[in-house]
Structure formats: C-alpha cells, structure tokens
C-alpha cells in the first residue's frame, strides 16, 4: 500500500532500471535449490511463492511477529527481513523439513499437539522452528528461559502458557525423559 | 469377536466424547505447516490487488492520476470510485444499516481510507504501482474527539447522508449523529439516582483497540465468465452471510456464488464484516476475467479494519449507605468512526450493552447510547466482545469498585451483597435480559478462598504502611471482577443479521460403515471445532470421535449458518448438533427395535448402543445400526441415516466468572507487574476442558494487552500514532503473566447439552480485573479512577498526580 | 511490506566494499545485518538503489584482544558477542546490553557495526560505547581512521561518517578488573526501543568512586555521554544526596521526544531512574569483585 503520513507522490528514484536477476543456490529442507531471483525478493516470498513452502507465514510488516521464522545456517532468522540473494549458499530448515522422511513427527511437533500449544495454527510453524533452535542452544531450559527464548514470536491465541509446556515436554522427550508438569 | 468385553467406562473412553481432553484434530496439519490459509492459495493466472490509501484524515479528493501506475509493466488496471459507481459498488451496505465507501469518491474520511485499487501481475509490481498513483487532496477540518462530535460547530463529515434526518435506527439529531438507543425505565432510574443515599458518577472510557489476529484480512476472488459463477476464498468468520451480501450487491444469483473460508489465522471479530478489499477483488476478477488475490499488510489491518470499543460511558450508581445498589444510569457516546460498520444484530445498534447491570440485582436501570461519526476507521464491534459486553462489563465492574471505595466497603464484599442470588434464576434484569442460570455466590466464594483473599488484603495493608514509612516504592493492588456475559446470539425474535435470523445449523450424515461427516454453519478460526463438535456427536451418537469428520466454511456444502463470533458456536450450532444427532438417534432406535423385534419403548440407550431393557445381552451398536440403515430399515422407512437441524435458540446463554488479580506497581517507573491472576469461569457443560483452558489463556492475554497498553490513538490531525507492531502492544511470552484457571459448572437449562460458550469470557472479565487491580493499588492515597490503558507512563502520571515522586 | 528495486553487490574485501560505495555514491547503502535497513526499505522510508552486502568480508568478523583493547569486528552479531568468552570476561556490560536488544532472531543477525553506525537514537550500543570510551575504526576511499564514539554522533541518523565510509571494527579499552557495570533499560516490552536507558561503568577504590562514566540511550536525538553527572560522583560513596545531584545533572542534558512510550517529561525522569538503578547495580557488582 502507499506510505502512511507522506503525500502520494512518486517515490521511485529517477534512474529507473530493472536490475538484473541473480542466481542463487541453497539447501532447503535437505534439498538443493537453484533459482534466479530479483535482488529485492524477500526470502519469505521466495519460500512461499517460488518454493511452495507455505508453512512460514507473514503476520506483520515491521519484523516483530516471528511467524516467518526459519532456521538459517543454524540460526533462527526472520525470513521477512532477509533477501533471497542473501541466502546464497545457505542451509535452510522450515517447518516442512522437521518431520522425518518417513513422516514421523519431530518431538516438538508431537509436543505442541500433546500440550495444546496451538489454536489457529498461524504462529505455529515459526514458533516450532524457533523452539527447535532454542532447544539446541539450551536443551533443558527453565520456564523463564523459554519465555525469553521465544520472545521474538508473537501468538494471539494461546497466551503462550501451553506453548511453554509443549517446549518443556519436547525437551524432556529429546532427553529421553518423561515430562512431568513442574510444580510452579 | 473380542473375548475381552470392555466395561462401560472403557466404552465411554473410547468414544472420546464430551468432557475429555481430546487432542485436536486440526493440529496434525498445523504442526506440519500444512494449514490451508488464504495466502497459501495459488491459482493459475492469479493477479494481485493493492490499495492506494489516503494519508489524510479528512480531505476532498481533487484529482486522481493513475497514468504512471497504469504505464508500469505488469499493471493490468487501476480501479477508482469512478469505475465502481456504474456498478453501484462504490458504496457497500454495512451490517449496521449504514453505507461504507469501497473506494473514496469525493472525499476521504479517515487516514488510510481506500482511494484506488491497483491490479498487477505480482504483489511487488502492485506495490510499486500503488506508489505511482498521484492523488491531490484538499484538507478539511478534522474531528477525532467523539465528545465534540455533536457540537454545533463540529465539521460535517458524512456529506453523502447530510440530508438524512432518519438513520437506520431512528432520528438523527446532528450531522455527525448516527443513532440514539435507549432502554430501561428512565423515570424510575432518575428517581433512584436523585434520592440515592450514596451515589457515584464517573466517565468511564474504554479506549479504541484492535483485535489484531496474527493473520490479516485477505481473499482470493475468481469469476468464471463462462459459467457466470463467482468463487471467493476469504478470511470470513461468517461465510454464508458474505455470500448473501455478495449476491445482493453484485446481483449474481446466490447459488452461483461459492464462498469458502479455509483455515483462518485468528478472527476475534476482525473478520466478520465485508471490507473494500473483498469487493475490489471481486470486481477486479470480473473485469479482468482472472483470479485476484488481495492480502492486506499489518499497518493496513490495524488502521482500516474493524476496530473495537471507543465507548465513553458516563456511569452513575445509587446505593443505600450499607451497600445495596438501588439504580444504575449510563449514558454512552459511541465513536463509530467514519461509517457505522458495526457488526451488530440489526435491532441492537449498541450491541447487548444493556447487560451492563452485570451480575448485580439492580431494581431499576436506564441506558442511553448516542452513536457518532468521527474521522477514524469505521466499525466498533469486535475483539472478543460479544457485541459490546466487554464495554458493559468494564463499565459496571469499574463503577462497582468506585462505589465500594466511596462506601468504604471491600469491593468483594460489595459484590457479595449485590450478586444475583441462585434462587432468582432465571433472572430478568432491569434492562430486559433473562439470565438462564448461575450460582454467583458460590463462584465468588470459591475464587476468594482459592487465592486467600483475606490474607491478600492483610498483606496489602502491611505494604501500604511500609510505603508510607518509605520502606518500599511498590504498591500492591488486588483486582476483583465478577462478570456476566450474554452470548449465543440468538433467538429469531430479536436477533438477525441483515434480516437473516441468527439460528445456526448442523447437518450430520452417517455412512454405512459407521463413520460420520458433520457440516456446521459456524467457522472456527482456532477454536478447535473439528475436535469439539465431534466430541458432542461422539457422546450423542455413541460413535468414536475419531470416526467423525467435521467440516465448516464451504457455503456450497455447509448448511446456512451465521458464523462464529460472539461465542455463539457452542450455544447455537452446538445445540443444532445435539438436536440433529437426536433425530438420528431416534431413527436408529426404530431400526434397532425392528432388528431386535421389540417395541421402541423396550429399548434403552447405553453409551454406544441400544439394548433391551432387562435383557442387556440383546443390543445393537450404533455402528451396526448404521449398516442396517442402508439395507434393513423397517418397512415404510427411508434408508439412510442423517439429519439436519436449524436451531433457533430460545434464549441467549449467560456464562459468568469470578476473576482475581494481584499486581505490584513500581511507583517510580509506572511498571505494573502482575503477581498472580486467577480466573474462575462457568460456561455450563464443559465439552473439552483442555480447549476451554486454552481459550481462557488466550483471552486473558488479549485482556492483558488491552488493559496494559493497547490503543489505536489518533492525534488531533487524525494521524494514527502507531498502527504497527512497533507500537501496538501485543505482549510477548516475557510480559504475559501466568494464568491460573478454575471453574464451576452451572448448565444452561434451555440448551440441549447445557453448554454456554466461553471464548470471550476471559476478555470480558479480564480487562476490568486488571484495571481494578491497578486502580486498587492507588486507592488508599485517594485515587478513584485511572483510565486504561495502564501503560508505564500513564501509571507513572497517576502516581505523580498523587504527589508520590517527592 | 515490499521494498523498492535495487542492485545487489557482495564484495569480498573491505577495499572492494569501500570502492563500490565511493563509485556508487549516495545511491548506495552498506548492508550489515539489515535489521534496521530492511524494515525501513519495506516501509519505503529508505530506497537505496544499490545494496553493498558486507556478509562475505571475513576481516569484519571476530572478537579479539589487542593490547589493552578488545577489538570487535563490525559484522559481529549480537549473538556472537553474547557467546564470546573474551568479551564477556573483559566487557561484561556488552553482554548485558546485547541481551536487552530486540529478540533472539534479531540478535542472530543484527551486528554491532550496524547498531553503532547508523545513528538511530534508539539503538542501545552507542551510549554503551560512549560510556566505555570506545573508538570506531573506519575505512573509506581516503584511507582508514579512528573516531571516538564520544565524538561520533551528530544528530538523528547523522554521524561523523563521511560518504562512502564504513565502520570496520569497534575498539574498546578494557576497564580494570573488578569494575562495576550495568545497563538499565526501561522498555514497554521485549523488542522495544528504550523509553530510557542508562549505561554505567564504575571503578571503586576503598568504597569511593575512583572513576565513573555514564551513557544515556534514546533520550535525545543522539546517545548522550553524561559527563557532568559522572563528575559529580567522583570521590563520593554514592550517597543518596550525591546520586540525586548526579541524576539531576543527567536529566538536564536529556531532550527526549514525546511518543507512545510517554511524554518527554516522563522519559527524562525515567533516564534519571534508570541511572540511579544502574549506579546501584554497578556499585553492587564493583564491591562484590573488589579484593
């Protein structure tokens, strides 16, 4: 849409030239991907529109909500704030790559279902993808550490409480333990 | 045959029916990123639409020049009001009996109002093109204060209706006036207030906020020229209503319009009504012959779609000296923005605000509401509000606290004195509602005992002393709220949306092998309907929930419904589900009698089967009866096993709750820490406790956001200050408190399964509970009312005004 | 939501980057973590025609010791800084500050160079760098130079950087062992800029302030180095009265914007509150590690 607070005059710079597309290669969910992209193509749109990975979602336009979170070279990254050209050579994991090849769900995916960590499902791909990296950073996080660890992911439905339980449940599962609801 | 015969308990458990924490069916696709949301849709040849929006709050449009935009490669067309006018679509009817501009014609009335619609090959080109449309504006004086809307010299906003002295709801008394709505006994209330031993009067304002679901509003419209048929996928909480409205305004026959709501990423009332984006996408598809997608971004969502609240309530309560309320008088100024696009049932321009007597036995009451226009986004009813119940609950719960303070009575004690008593149910309030059931005193007592209320008050006294001695710079506050909700709209005698009664529906079909497909007229946006409706059916039909598929949202196959909002799915469609199931069960009983060669009356129902009374080894399971329905029905009976029910509820339902909150306020920064939040809810029969708890967590978090910082605020030039996540306060997991949930169960006597609905209760009760807690912290220093939101700076200002910063 | 078009460049060395910036002039912007620039581009508040991505320049990465200083490559992310043992050991205020910047995802990508160089008064590191007496190492076509952080900030989005120059590293003199430190930030929620924030470095000797430096964030159109406030505290034992005078001196140099975080008056007062809380914590830390 046109900008807020500024008169609707053309903001396109005087030297309009369509910049050439750029070749990018990357790994997405274990698959090699090659594409020709416009420099300004945001990674989230590249994933959703061109790679048909519609798991990561768009929930805002100011890089706050985290619904677009992917795992990028071992880091949780908001794919709406990266250009696809910056992903050249990268190793990307999205929610679609979390289950095993035979369809077995990742412990986090099971845990979110087990603990009712989702309602509308819109924040869920980004949330689980972030939780995935969080548990790699810290395999046994406290509740406070989880809250801080997912503070880049907004949810409007759950109030976070069951998301935290889900992450703790998954942490327990991944460590080979049984989840016990912690006495608060 | 299985040698091990399951017990009755095991048979019931296998059904995963009502009352159990059944895991959600929809989760399977959501946790794998395989949800099907509108923006996931890709159709061959699909185009993208994007809006040019006004930067001005009030201005005449002198000229629109779209030539540069049209010249951009990849741009197909640019629509303006001039293009829509010949089709009669430059304005659309609103749910409140007003009209709303689809594209601004001669003037704009709020910042970010839609002025032109660019259609392009892809969304990047569309964004570029929108920047290239040049619009010349001529500023007009701006009105953003609703309390000044009806001043004699207030600027004229709605030139399109300036000669209309009658609106949809009666006489208009000023060019910015929309309606006056009144209910109650004015004379008796005026008398009660005049001679009240103790009275309070306060302007209680509920700030404008926005429901802000994580997925914004969006649609894909596809018009098939050959067939003359329109298909629209969209974020529609009420897909059938959208279809009927689309037919009425486009003149395409309703049976040739296919409206589909796929997965929706949160609604909260933001996705009930129709938006210019939908209309423009439809027109664009008709004009271009290709599918057109429209997806708004977050700033557009927060600045132009259905806002919530903006109610300014002058509230008076009269009471006896010992704390018995004798009268309630409320006058409201309601700011609807530039167009009254409120999603209310037709006869209720102020929604169900007359629930404002709340949980208390007021002998007399009177309410009047003046709706006014302003240079702000249109709407009013949204955000988990049950048609203005959030406003009413905030009003009465704040007012009761203010009254308690004036009387020198503890706020919980004042409530105990005035709560409607159990024996009074069904209770007819002074403002005309018949509350169905409740045991309020039990609930409040339970809440108070659970948190140790008396100990908390004792602690508070100690801390107040410590504050006075300078030993601490924190103030402790205890908030109490006891709310009564009115949901489940509603009976046809008084509830309709654009003339369609607010019944709802269920169509259930059992297949020969005993599995089920159920289609409902409601539409989940995260409430778990695929899971919970199946639970109702599992219990009613004796078939496992896992064998029951629930579908919603496709208007071709789902029976007509009014959609999901106002917590109405369980009370209305849930009832339809039970009623349809009972029709099936009745037929199944006859089949069973035929197969067992007994009379119908010789059979009794036992969890998943009909068995012969006194001879339980002779039985037929529902699964067996399903098969039989397709090949061995009694002579004269139709084969098949299905039923439809359209349920016209006899009344609304009245969930209620007792919430208690403890806060610690840092006087030197204004930061409010929520130490504890306890929520006791009574929603009648509890279908899935896990899902109920999730709803409470979510609603309380939204309430926390509202009470502690959300506002859609306009400065005096009509400029929106902060319509993005940079400023609009959506709490993260760090700020969000921990929630303690509890319950009582008072079934609704008129509902087939006794259920009342619960989705909105936490927002209704949560906001006043937080607000009362913050206010309570400052009471002992003489403060009576601090307005929301209770963000840091405002709380600090309140402390500053009380001289606490030395 | 959608940025304008631009051409993309990915140089392999500082000199290549600097040459590109010089050639392309003001139509070009360097791209570090991009989490300030890209959001602005998406709102079309910035529309560079060329982006010079610094991601492949290895010289810009890494945290190392160099004599009495720690040198932090400009492309070091907040995440890397938090994880850096040497930075945490020698400059613990940096870790504390990093953890208060944005959210986990942004910290994975956002760089120290981006945070100090773009002149956004809301960024946290500038005031901390002023407090620490850091120097920015800068490269340009005209050569390399060093600019003290305390002289770097001219106004909102206006710094001493000449056209075509980039910050290549931040050089921080290590404070003495046992120094007290704190970064106290008041914000509406995680991810928000400061309503007001104060950075304090304190060296105590026998219970008295031997040296003190104070930086203030987001309470003026630049980060503030509150020199006078710090001077008041020298030689004191941080008595209530002295702290009160220092706070008043700090408040006096603020000129915050009124915004949704609060009116200017409130934000000034909050700068004062953050300062007194930062002093208290810095003092506790200094005492606890003093011999």
């Amino acid at each position: 849409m046109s900008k807020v607070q500024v008169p609707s005059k053309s903001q396109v710079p005087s030297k309009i030239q369509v910049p050439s597309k750029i070749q990018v290669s990357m790994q997405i969910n274990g698959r090699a991907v090659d594409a020709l992209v416009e420099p300004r193509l945001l990674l989230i749109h590249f994933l959703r529109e061109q790679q048909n990975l519609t798991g990561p979602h768009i929930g805002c336009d100011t890089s706050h909500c985290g619904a677009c979170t992917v795992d990028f070279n071992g880091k949780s990254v908001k794919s709406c704030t990266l250009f696809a050209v910056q992903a050249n050579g990268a190793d990307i994991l999205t929610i679609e790559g979390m289950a095993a090849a035979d369809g077995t769900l990742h412990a986090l995916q099971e845990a979110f279902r087990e603990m009712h960590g989702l309602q509308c499902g819109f924040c869920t791909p980004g949330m689980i993808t972030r939780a995935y990296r969080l548990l790699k950073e810290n395999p046994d996080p406290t509740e406070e550490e989880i809250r801080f660890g997912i503070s880049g992911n907004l949810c409007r439905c759950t109030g976070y409480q069951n998301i935290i339980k889900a992450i703790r449940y998954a942490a327990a599962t991944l460590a080979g333990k049984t989840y016990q609801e912690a006495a608060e | 045959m299985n040698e091990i015969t399951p017990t009755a308990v095991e048979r019931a458990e296998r059904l995963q029916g009502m009352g159990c924490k059944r895991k959600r069916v929809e989760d399977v696709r959501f946790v794998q990123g395989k949800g099907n949301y509108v923006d996931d849709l890709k159709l061959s040849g699909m185009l993208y639409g994007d809006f040019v929006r006004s930067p001005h709050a009030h201005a005449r449009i002198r000229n629109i020049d779209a030539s540069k935009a049209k010249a951009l490669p990849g741009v197909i067309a640019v629509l303006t009001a001039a293009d829509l006018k010949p089709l009669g679509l430059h304005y659309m009817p609103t749910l409140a009996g007003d009209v709303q501009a689809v594209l601004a014609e001669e003037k704009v009335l709020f910042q970010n109002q839609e002025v032109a619609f660019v259609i392009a090959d892809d969304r990047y080109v569309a964004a570029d093109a929108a920047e290239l449309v040049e619009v010349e504006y001529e500023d007009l004086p701006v009105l953003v204060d609703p309390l000044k809307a009806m001043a004699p010299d207030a600027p004229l906003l709605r030139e399109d209706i300036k000669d209309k002295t009658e609106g949809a709801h009666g006489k208009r008394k000023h060019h910015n006036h929309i309606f006056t709505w009144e209910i109650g006994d004015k004379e008796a209330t005026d008398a009660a207030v005049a001679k009240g031993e103790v009275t309070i009067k306060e302007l209680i304002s509920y700030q404008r906020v926005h429901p802000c679901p994580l997925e914004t509003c969006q649609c894909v419209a596809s018009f098939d020229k050959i067939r003359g048929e329109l298909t629209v996928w969209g974020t529609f909480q009420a897909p059938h209503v959208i279809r009927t409205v689309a037919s009425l305004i486009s003149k395409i026959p309703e049976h040739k319009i296919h409206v589909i709501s796929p997965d929706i990423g949160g609604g909260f009332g933001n996705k009930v009504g129709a938006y210019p984006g939908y209309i423009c996408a439809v027109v664009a598809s008709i004009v271009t012959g290709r599918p057109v997608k429209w997806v708004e971004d977050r700033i557009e969502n927060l600045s132009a779609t259905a806002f919530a609240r903006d109610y300014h309530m002058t509230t008076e309560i009269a009471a006896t000296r010992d704390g018995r309320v004798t009268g309630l008088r409320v006058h409201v100024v309601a700011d609807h923005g530039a167009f009254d696009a409120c999603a209310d049932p037709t006869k209720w321009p102020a929604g169900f605000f007359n629930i404002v007597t709340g949980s208390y036995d007021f002998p007399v009451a009177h309410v009047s509401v003046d709706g006014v226009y302003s240079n702000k986004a249109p709407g009013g009813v949204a955000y988990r509000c049950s048609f203005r119940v959030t406003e009413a609950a905030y009003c009465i719960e704040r007012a009761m606290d203010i009254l308690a303070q004036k009387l020198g009575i503890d706020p919980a004690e004042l409530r105990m004195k005035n709560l409607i008593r159990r024996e009074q149910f069904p209770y007819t309030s002074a403002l005309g509602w018949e509350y169905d059931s409740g045991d309020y005193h039990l609930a409040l007592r339970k809440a108070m005992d659970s948190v140790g209320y008396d100990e908390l008050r004792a602690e508070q006294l100690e801390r107040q002393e410590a504050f006075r001695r300078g030993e601490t710079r924190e103030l402790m506050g205890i908030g109490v709220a006891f709310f009564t909700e009115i949901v489940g709209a509603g009976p046809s005698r008084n509830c309709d949306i654009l003339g369609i009664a607010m019944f709802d529906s269920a169509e259930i079909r059992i297949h020969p092998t005993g599995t089920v497909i159920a289609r409902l007229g409601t539409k989940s946006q995260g409430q778990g309907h695929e899971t919970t409706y199946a639970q109702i059916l599992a219990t009613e039909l004796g078939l496992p929930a896992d064998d029951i598929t629930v579908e919603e949202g496709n208007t071709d196959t789902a029976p007509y419904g009014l959609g999901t909002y106002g917590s109405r799915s369980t009370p209305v469609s849930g009832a339809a589900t039970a009623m349809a199931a009972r029709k099936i069960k009745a037929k199944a009983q006859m089949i069973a009698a035929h197969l067992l060669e007994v009379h119908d009356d010789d059979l009794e129902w036992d969890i998943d089967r009909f068995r012969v009374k006194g001879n339980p080894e002779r039985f037929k399971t529902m699964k067996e009866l399903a098969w039989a329905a397709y090949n061995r029905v009694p002579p004269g009976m139709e084969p098949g096993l299905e039923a439809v029910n359209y349920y016209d509820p006899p009344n609304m339902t009245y969930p209620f709750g007792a919430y208690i909150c403890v806060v610690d306020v840092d006087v030197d920064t204004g930061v409010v820490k929520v130490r504890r939040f306890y929520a006791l809810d009574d929603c009648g029969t509890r279908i899935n406790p896990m899902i109920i708890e999730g709803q409470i967590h979510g609603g309380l978090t939204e309430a926390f956001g509202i009470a502690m910082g959300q506002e859609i605020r306009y400065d005096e030039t009509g400029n929106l200050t902060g319509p993005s996540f940079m400023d609009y306060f959506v709490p993260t997991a760090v700020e969000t408190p921990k929630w303690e949930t509890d319950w009582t169960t008072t079934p609704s006597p008129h509902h087939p399964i006794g259920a009342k609905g619960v989705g909105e209760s936490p927002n209704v009760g949560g906001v006043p509970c937080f607000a009362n807690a913050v206010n309570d912290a400052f009471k002992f220093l003489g403060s009576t009312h601090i307005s929301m939101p209770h963000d840091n700076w405002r709380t600090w200002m309140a402390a500053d005004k009380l001289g606490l910063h030395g | 939501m959608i940025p304008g078009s631009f051409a993309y460049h990915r140089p392999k060395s500082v000199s290549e980057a600097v040459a590109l910036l010089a050639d392309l002039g003001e139509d070009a912007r360097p791209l570090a973590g991009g989490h300030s620039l890209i959001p602005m581009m998406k709102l079309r508040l910035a529309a560079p025609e060329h982006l010079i991505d610094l991601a492949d320049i290895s010289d810009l990465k890494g945290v190392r010791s160099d004599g009495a200083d720690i040198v932090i490559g400009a492309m070091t992310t907040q995440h890397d800084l938090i994880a850096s043992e040497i930075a945490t050991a020698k400059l613990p205020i940096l870790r504390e500050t990093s953890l208060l910047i944005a959210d986990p995802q942004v910290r994975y990508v956002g760089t120290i160079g981006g945070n100090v160089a773009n002149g956004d008064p809301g960024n946290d590191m500038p005031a901390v760098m002023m407090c620490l007496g850091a120097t920015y190492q800068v490269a340009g076509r005209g050569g390399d130079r060093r600019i003290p952080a305390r002289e770097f900030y001219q106004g909102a989005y206006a710094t001493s950087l000449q056209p075509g120059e980039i910050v290549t590293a931040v050089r921080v003199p290590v404070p003495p062992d046992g120094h007290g430190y704190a970064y106290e930030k008041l914000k509406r929620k995680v991810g928000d800029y400061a309503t007001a924030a104060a950075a304090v470095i304190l060296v105590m000797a026998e219970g008295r302030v031997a040296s003190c430096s104070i930086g203030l964030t987001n309470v003026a159109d630049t980060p503030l180095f509150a020199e006078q406030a710090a001077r008041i505290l020298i030689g004191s034992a941080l008595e209530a009265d002295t702290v009160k005078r220092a706070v008043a001196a700090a408040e006096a140099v603020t000129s915050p914007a009124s915004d949704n975080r609060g009116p200017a008056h409130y934000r000034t007062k909050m700068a004062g509150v953050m300062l007194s809380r930062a002093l208290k914590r810095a003092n506790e830390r200094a005492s606890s590690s003093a011999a």
Side-chain angles (χ1 to χ4, degrees), chain B residues 475-486:
Chain B
L475 296 176
M476 176 181 169
I478 303 168
V480 179
F482 198 106
F483 67 93
T484 296
E485 267 232 274
I486 169 174

PDB file of all heavy atoms in Angstrom, chain B residues 475-486:
ATOM      1  N   LEU B 475       3.538  -0.496  45.149  1.00  0.00           N
ATOM      2  CA  LEU B 475       2.179  -0.516  45.690  1.00  0.00           C
ATOM      3  C   LEU B 475       1.502  -1.803  45.242  1.00  0.00           C
ATOM      4  O   LEU B 475       1.566  -2.165  44.068  1.00  0.00           O
ATOM      5  CB  LEU B 475       1.382   0.681  45.160  1.00  0.00           C
ATOM      6  CG  LEU B 475       1.874   2.056  45.582  1.00  0.00           C
ATOM      7  CD1 LEU B 475       1.036   3.146  44.904  1.00  0.00           C
ATOM      8  CD2 LEU B 475       1.779   2.216  47.102  1.00  0.00           C
ATOM      9  N   MET B 476       0.840  -2.438  46.181  1.00  0.00           N
ATOM     10  CA  MET B 476       0.163  -3.702  45.854  1.00  0.00           C
ATOM     11  C   MET B 476      -1.303  -3.420  45.563  1.00  0.00           C
ATOM     12  O   MET B 476      -1.950  -2.668  46.283  1.00  0.00           O
ATOM     13  CB  MET B 476       0.284  -4.640  47.047  1.00  0.00           C
ATOM     14  CG  MET B 476      -0.455  -5.955  46.916  1.00  0.00           C
ATOM     15  SD  MET B 476      -0.199  -6.908  48.444  1.00  0.00           S
ATOM     16  CE  MET B 476      -1.409  -8.222  48.200  1.00  0.00           C
ATOM     17  N   GLY B 477      -1.806  -4.011  44.507  1.00  0.00           N
ATOM     18  CA  GLY B 477      -3.226  -3.845  44.172  1.00  0.00           C
ATOM     19  C   GLY B 477      -3.886  -5.194  44.014  1.00  0.00           C
ATOM     20  O   GLY B 477      -3.273  -6.143  43.533  1.00  0.00           O
ATOM     21  N   ILE B 478      -5.146  -5.286  44.428  1.00  0.00           N
ATOM     22  CA  ILE B 478      -5.928  -6.519  44.267  1.00  0.00           C
ATOM     23  C   ILE B 478      -7.166  -6.165  43.450  1.00  0.00           C
ATOM     24  O   ILE B 478      -7.941  -5.297  43.836  1.00  0.00           O
ATOM     25  CB  ILE B 478      -6.367  -7.083  45.623  1.00  0.00           C
ATOM     26  CG1 ILE B 478      -5.143  -7.342  46.502  1.00  0.00           C
ATOM     27  CG2 ILE B 478      -7.172  -8.370  45.429  1.00  0.00           C
ATOM     28  CD1 ILE B 478      -5.484  -7.621  47.960  1.00  0.00           C
ATOM     29  N   GLY B 479      -7.324  -6.814  42.314  1.00  0.00           N
ATOM     30  CA  GLY B 479      -8.473  -6.546  41.455  1.00  0.00           C
ATOM     31  C   GLY B 479      -9.460  -7.684  41.512  1.00  0.00           C
ATOM     32  O   GLY B 479      -9.082  -8.847  41.497  1.00  0.00           O
ATOM     33  N   VAL B 480     -10.723  -7.328  41.613  1.00  0.00           N
ATOM     34  CA  VAL B 480     -11.794  -8.320  41.601  1.00  0.00           C
ATOM     35  C   VAL B 480     -12.739  -7.965  40.466  1.00  0.00           C
ATOM     36  O   VAL B 480     -13.041  -6.801  40.242  1.00  0.00           O
ATOM     37  CB  VAL B 480     -12.580  -8.295  42.930  1.00  0.00           C
ATOM     38  CG1 VAL B 480     -13.715  -9.312  42.898  1.00  0.00           C
ATOM     39  CG2 VAL B 480     -11.660  -8.569  44.105  1.00  0.00           C
ATOM     40  N   ALA B 481     -13.162  -8.983  39.738  1.00  0.00           N
ATOM     41  CA  ALA B 481     -14.193  -8.757  38.718  1.00  0.00           C
ATOM     42  C   ALA B 481     -15.130  -9.952  38.735  1.00  0.00           C
ATOM     43  O   ALA B 481     -14.679 -11.093  38.784  1.00  0.00           O
ATOM     44  CB  ALA B 481     -13.572  -8.592  37.335  1.00  0.00           C
ATOM     45  N   PHE B 482     -16.423  -9.669  38.717  1.00  0.00           N
ATOM     46  CA  PHE B 482     -17.409 -10.740  38.594  1.00  0.00           C
ATOM     47  C   PHE B 482     -18.312 -10.390  37.425  1.00  0.00           C
ATOM     48  O   PHE B 482     -19.133  -9.517  37.515  1.00  0.00           O
ATOM     49  CB  PHE B 482     -18.225 -10.905  39.886  1.00  0.00           C
ATOM     50  CG  PHE B 482     -18.917 -12.236  39.933  1.00  0.00           C
ATOM     51  CD1 PHE B 482     -18.451 -13.233  40.771  1.00  0.00           C
ATOM     52  CD2 PHE B 482     -20.009 -12.513  39.101  1.00  0.00           C
ATOM     53  CE1 PHE B 482     -19.056 -14.486  40.789  1.00  0.00           C
ATOM     54  CE2 PHE B 482     -20.619 -13.764  39.110  1.00  0.00           C
ATOM     55  CZ  PHE B 482     -20.140 -14.747  39.959  1.00  0.00           C
ATOM     56  N   PHE B 483     -18.096 -11.084  36.345  1.00  0.00           N
ATOM     57  CA  PHE B 483     -18.793 -10.683  35.121  1.00  0.00           C
ATOM     58  C   PHE B 483     -19.896 -11.670  34.760  1.00  0.00           C
ATOM     59  O   PHE B 483     -19.814 -12.863  35.069  1.00  0.00           O
ATOM     60  CB  PHE B 483     -17.806 -10.575  33.960  1.00  0.00           C
ATOM     61  CG  PHE B 483     -17.219 -11.907  33.569  1.00  0.00           C
ATOM     62  CD1 PHE B 483     -17.811 -12.671  32.569  1.00  0.00           C
ATOM     63  CD2 PHE B 483     -16.095 -12.397  34.206  1.00  0.00           C
ATOM     64  CE1 PHE B 483     -17.286 -13.910  32.217  1.00  0.00           C
ATOM     65  CE2 PHE B 483     -15.564 -13.635  33.864  1.00  0.00           C
ATOM     66  CZ  PHE B 483     -16.163 -14.388  32.867  1.00  0.00           C
ATOM     67  N   THR B 484     -20.898 -11.144  34.089  1.00  0.00           N
ATOM     68  CA  THR B 484     -21.897 -11.992  33.435  1.00  0.00           C
ATOM     69  C   THR B 484     -21.886 -11.636  31.963  1.00  0.00           C
ATOM     70  O   THR B 484     -21.950 -10.471  31.587  1.00  0.00           O
ATOM     71  CB  THR B 484     -23.309 -11.765  34.005  1.00  0.00           C
ATOM     72  OG1 THR B 484     -23.333 -12.145  35.366  1.00  0.00           O
ATOM     73  CG2 THR B 484     -24.336 -12.601  33.231  1.00  0.00           C
ATOM     74  N   GLU B 485     -21.772 -12.638  31.169  1.00  0.00           N
ATOM     75  CA  GLU B 485     -21.727 -12.463  29.715  1.00  0.00           C
ATOM     76  C   GLU B 485     -23.071 -12.800  29.134  1.00  0.00           C
ATOM     77  O   GLU B 485     -23.825 -13.552  29.730  1.00  0.00           O
ATOM     78  CB  GLU B 485     -20.780 -13.520  29.179  1.00  0.00           C
ATOM     79  CG  GLU B 485     -19.376 -13.095  29.023  1.00  0.00           C
ATOM     80  CD  GLU B 485     -18.918 -13.414  27.628  1.00  0.00           C
ATOM     81  OE1 GLU B 485     -18.467 -14.538  27.397  1.00  0.00           O
ATOM     82  OE2 GLU B 485     -19.054 -12.532  26.771  1.00  0.00           O
ATOM     83  N   ILE B 486     -23.328 -12.304  27.941  1.00  0.00           N
ATOM     84  CA  ILE B 486     -24.522 -12.736  27.207  1.00  0.00           C
ATOM     85  C   ILE B 486     -24.069 -13.137  25.812  1.00  0.00           C
ATOM     86  O   ILE B 486     -23.534 -12.305  25.071  1.00  0.00           O
ATOM     87  CB  ILE B 486     -25.598 -11.624  27.182  1.00  0.00           C
ATOM     88  CG1 ILE B 486     -26.729 -11.984  26.195  1.00  0.00           C
ATOM     89  CG2 ILE B 486     -25.007 -10.261  26.868  1.00  0.00           C
ATOM     90  CD1 ILE B 486     -27.894 -11.016  26.223  1.00  0.00           C
TER      91      ILE B 486
END
